[in-house]
PDB file of all heavy atoms in Angstrom:
ATOM      1  N   ASN A 108     123.024 205.256 196.315  1.00 81.00           N
ATOM      2  CA  ASN A 108     121.576 205.431 196.177  1.00 81.00           C
ATOM      3  C   ASN A 108     121.027 204.326 195.277  1.00 81.00           C
ATOM      4  O   ASN A 108     121.743 203.805 194.426  1.00 81.00           O
ATOM      5  CB  ASN A 108     121.266 206.779 195.524  1.00 81.00           C
ATOM      6  CG  ASN A 108     121.556 207.934 196.454  1.00 81.00           C
ATOM      7  OD1 ASN A 108     121.251 207.877 197.638  1.00 81.00           O
ATOM      8  ND2 ASN A 108     122.158 208.975 195.918  1.00 81.00           N
ATOM      9  N   TYR A 121     104.724 196.382 194.553  1.00 77.00           N
ATOM     10  CA  TYR A 121     104.262 197.200 195.673  1.00 77.00           C
ATOM     11  C   TYR A 121     102.874 197.728 195.347  1.00 77.00           C
ATOM     12  O   TYR A 121     102.633 198.176 194.222  1.00 77.00           O
ATOM     13  CB  TYR A 121     105.239 198.364 195.863  1.00 77.00           C
ATOM     14  CG  TYR A 121     104.932 199.240 197.041  1.00 77.00           C
ATOM     15  CD1 TYR A 121     105.148 198.778 198.335  1.00 77.00           C
ATOM     16  CD2 TYR A 121     104.427 200.532 196.876  1.00 77.00           C
ATOM     17  CE1 TYR A 121     104.871 199.581 199.424  1.00 77.00           C
ATOM     18  CE2 TYR A 121     104.158 201.340 197.962  1.00 77.00           C
ATOM     19  CZ  TYR A 121     104.377 200.862 199.244  1.00 77.00           C
ATOM     20  OH  TYR A 121     104.100 201.651 200.313  1.00 77.00           O
ATOM     21  N   SER A 164     140.787 198.952 215.454  1.00 93.00           N
ATOM     22  CA  SER A 164     139.428 199.494 215.499  1.00 93.00           C
ATOM     23  C   SER A 164     138.952 199.860 214.099  1.00 93.00           C
ATOM     24  O   SER A 164     139.727 200.291 213.247  1.00 93.00           O
ATOM     25  CB  SER A 164     139.386 200.744 216.379  1.00 93.00           C
ATOM     26  OG  SER A 164     139.695 200.394 217.698  1.00 93.00           O
ATOM     27  N   ARG A 190     144.982 203.835 221.429  1.00 93.00           N
ATOM     28  CA  ARG A 190     144.244 202.677 220.929  1.00 93.00           C
ATOM     29  C   ARG A 190     144.727 202.195 219.564  1.00 93.00           C
ATOM     30  O   ARG A 190     144.259 201.191 219.053  1.00 93.00           O
ATOM     31  CB  ARG A 190     142.759 203.008 220.845  1.00 93.00           C
ATOM     32  CG  ARG A 190     142.124 203.319 222.182  1.00 93.00           C
ATOM     33  CD  ARG A 190     142.348 202.186 223.161  1.00 93.00           C
ATOM     34  NE  ARG A 190     141.629 202.413 224.405  1.00 93.00           N
ATOM     35  CZ  ARG A 190     140.748 201.563 224.897  1.00 93.00           C
ATOM     36  NH1 ARG A 190     140.473 200.449 224.266  1.00 93.00           N
ATOM     37  NH2 ARG A 190     140.150 201.818 226.034  1.00 93.00           N
ATOM     38  N   ASP A 271     134.522 219.497 217.222  1.00 94.00           N
ATOM     39  CA  ASP A 271     133.236 219.320 216.559  1.00 94.00           C
ATOM     40  C   ASP A 271     132.121 219.853 217.441  1.00 94.00           C
ATOM     41  O   ASP A 271     132.283 220.041 218.644  1.00 94.00           O
ATOM     42  CB  ASP A 271     133.009 217.872 216.143  1.00 94.00           C
ATOM     43  CG  ASP A 271     133.062 216.897 217.302  1.00 94.00           C
ATOM     44  OD1 ASP A 271     133.825 217.155 218.242  1.00 94.00           O
ATOM     45  OD2 ASP A 271     132.362 215.886 217.261  1.00 94.00           O
ATOM     46  N   GLU A 286     126.850 229.799 214.935  1.00 93.00           N
ATOM     47  CA  GLU A 286     127.326 229.437 216.282  1.00 93.00           C
ATOM     48  C   GLU A 286     127.986 228.061 216.339  1.00 93.00           C
ATOM     49  O   GLU A 286     128.987 227.882 217.024  1.00 93.00           O
ATOM     50  CB  GLU A 286     126.179 229.538 217.293  1.00 93.00           C
ATOM     51  CG  GLU A 286     125.909 230.981 217.668  1.00 93.00           C
ATOM     52  CD  GLU A 286     124.847 231.124 218.740  1.00 93.00           C
ATOM     53  OE1 GLU A 286     124.415 230.105 219.315  1.00 93.00           O
ATOM     54  OE2 GLU A 286     124.449 232.268 218.999  1.00 93.00           O
TER      55      GLU A 286
ATOM     56  N   TYR B 121     115.302 203.832 202.241  1.00 75.00           N
ATOM     57  CA  TYR B 121     114.328 204.627 201.504  1.00 75.00           C
ATOM     58  C   TYR B 121     112.944 204.112 201.818  1.00 75.00           C
ATOM     59  O   TYR B 121     112.731 202.912 201.893  1.00 75.00           O
ATOM     60  CB  TYR B 121     114.581 204.516 199.995  1.00 75.00           C
ATOM     61  CG  TYR B 121     115.818 205.236 199.592  1.00 75.00           C
ATOM     62  CD1 TYR B 121     117.050 204.615 199.634  1.00 75.00           C
ATOM     63  CD2 TYR B 121     115.743 206.569 199.223  1.00 75.00           C
ATOM     64  CE1 TYR B 121     118.198 205.298 199.302  1.00 75.00           C
ATOM     65  CE2 TYR B 121     116.883 207.262 198.890  1.00 75.00           C
ATOM     66  CZ  TYR B 121     118.113 206.626 198.930  1.00 75.00           C
ATOM     67  OH  TYR B 121     119.232 207.311 198.621  1.00 75.00           O
ATOM     68  N   ASP B 124     107.381 204.542 199.557  1.00 78.00           N
ATOM     69  CA  ASP B 124     106.261 205.476 199.361  1.00 78.00           C
ATOM     70  C   ASP B 124     106.728 206.872 198.984  1.00 78.00           C
ATOM     71  O   ASP B 124     105.986 207.644 198.394  1.00 78.00           O
ATOM     72  CB  ASP B 124     105.428 205.564 200.641  1.00 78.00           C
ATOM     73  CG  ASP B 124     104.822 204.232 200.991  1.00 78.00           C
ATOM     74  OD1 ASP B 124     105.515 203.440 201.663  1.00 78.00           O
ATOM     75  OD2 ASP B 124     103.702 203.976 200.568  1.00 78.00           O
ATOM     76  N   ARG B 177     124.991 221.083 222.020  1.00 94.00           N
ATOM     77  CA  ARG B 177     125.834 221.673 220.984  1.00 94.00           C
ATOM     78  C   ARG B 177     127.284 221.209 221.005  1.00 94.00           C
ATOM     79  O   ARG B 177     128.122 221.732 220.287  1.00 94.00           O
ATOM     80  CB  ARG B 177     125.824 223.195 221.127  1.00 94.00           C
ATOM     81  CG  ARG B 177     124.490 223.789 220.746  1.00 94.00           C
ATOM     82  CD  ARG B 177     124.619 225.263 220.565  1.00 94.00           C
ATOM     83  NE  ARG B 177     123.480 225.756 219.812  1.00 94.00           N
ATOM     84  CZ  ARG B 177     123.107 227.018 219.794  1.00 94.00           C
ATOM     85  NH1 ARG B 177     123.788 227.919 220.475  1.00 94.00           N
ATOM     86  NH2 ARG B 177     122.075 227.385 219.077  1.00 94.00           N
ATOM     87  N   GLU B 179     130.468 218.090 221.384  1.00 92.00           N
ATOM     88  CA  GLU B 179     131.068 217.058 220.549  1.00 92.00           C
ATOM     89  C   GLU B 179     130.029 216.026 220.138  1.00 92.00           C
ATOM     90  O   GLU B 179     129.187 215.632 220.948  1.00 92.00           O
ATOM     91  CB  GLU B 179     132.141 216.337 221.367  1.00 92.00           C
ATOM     92  CG  GLU B 179     133.185 217.247 221.943  1.00 92.00           C
ATOM     93  CD  GLU B 179     134.412 217.313 221.071  1.00 92.00           C
ATOM     94  OE1 GLU B 179     134.620 216.393 220.264  1.00 92.00           O
ATOM     95  OE2 GLU B 179     135.162 218.295 221.208  1.00 92.00           O
ATOM     96  N   ASN B 180     130.110 215.549 218.910  1.00 93.00           N
ATOM     97  CA  ASN B 180     129.110 214.586 218.459  1.00 93.00           C
ATOM     98  C   ASN B 180     129.609 213.798 217.267  1.00 93.00           C
ATOM     99  O   ASN B 180     130.487 214.242 216.535  1.00 93.00           O
ATOM    100  CB  ASN B 180     127.823 215.311 218.080  1.00 93.00           C
ATOM    101  CG  ASN B 180     128.047 216.269 216.928  1.00 93.00           C
ATOM    102  OD1 ASN B 180     127.969 215.873 215.771  1.00 93.00           O
ATOM    103  ND2 ASN B 180     128.383 217.520 217.230  1.00 93.00           N
ATOM    104  N   TRP B 284     136.953 199.839 227.635  1.00 96.00           N
ATOM    105  CA  TRP B 284     136.377 199.436 226.345  1.00 96.00           C
ATOM    106  C   TRP B 284     137.505 198.992 225.438  1.00 96.00           C
ATOM    107  O   TRP B 284     138.663 199.369 225.610  1.00 96.00           O
ATOM    108  CB  TRP B 284     135.597 200.594 225.699  1.00 96.00           C
ATOM    109  CG  TRP B 284     136.443 201.775 225.321  1.00 96.00           C
ATOM    110  CD1 TRP B 284     136.787 202.824 226.116  1.00 96.00           C
ATOM    111  CD2 TRP B 284     137.065 202.021 224.052  1.00 96.00           C
ATOM    112  NE1 TRP B 284     137.580 203.708 225.432  1.00 96.00           N
ATOM    113  CE2 TRP B 284     137.769 203.237 224.159  1.00 96.00           C
ATOM    114  CE3 TRP B 284     137.099 201.326 222.837  1.00 96.00           C
ATOM    115  CZ2 TRP B 284     138.501 203.769 223.095  1.00 96.00           C
ATOM    116  CZ3 TRP B 284     137.812 201.869 221.780  1.00 96.00           C
ATOM    117  CH2 TRP B 284     138.511 203.084 221.934  1.00 96.00           C
ATOM    118  N   SER B 286     138.229 197.449 221.115  1.00 95.00           N
ATOM    119  CA  SER B 286     137.652 197.153 219.806  1.00 95.00           C
ATOM    120  C   SER B 286     138.707 196.533 218.907  1.00 95.00           C
ATOM    121  O   SER B 286     139.899 196.720 219.112  1.00 95.00           O
ATOM    122  CB  SER B 286     137.105 198.433 219.169  1.00 95.00           C
ATOM    123  OG  SER B 286     138.131 199.377 218.986  1.00 95.00           O
TER     124      SER B 286
END
Side-chain angles (χ1 to χ4, degrees):
Chain A
N108 289 318
Y121 184 72
S164 296
R190 297 305 186 123
D271 58 327
E286 282 184 8
Chain B
Y121 289 87
D124 298 86
R177 290 194 162 161
E179 305 264 339
N180 62 87
W284 65 273
S286 61

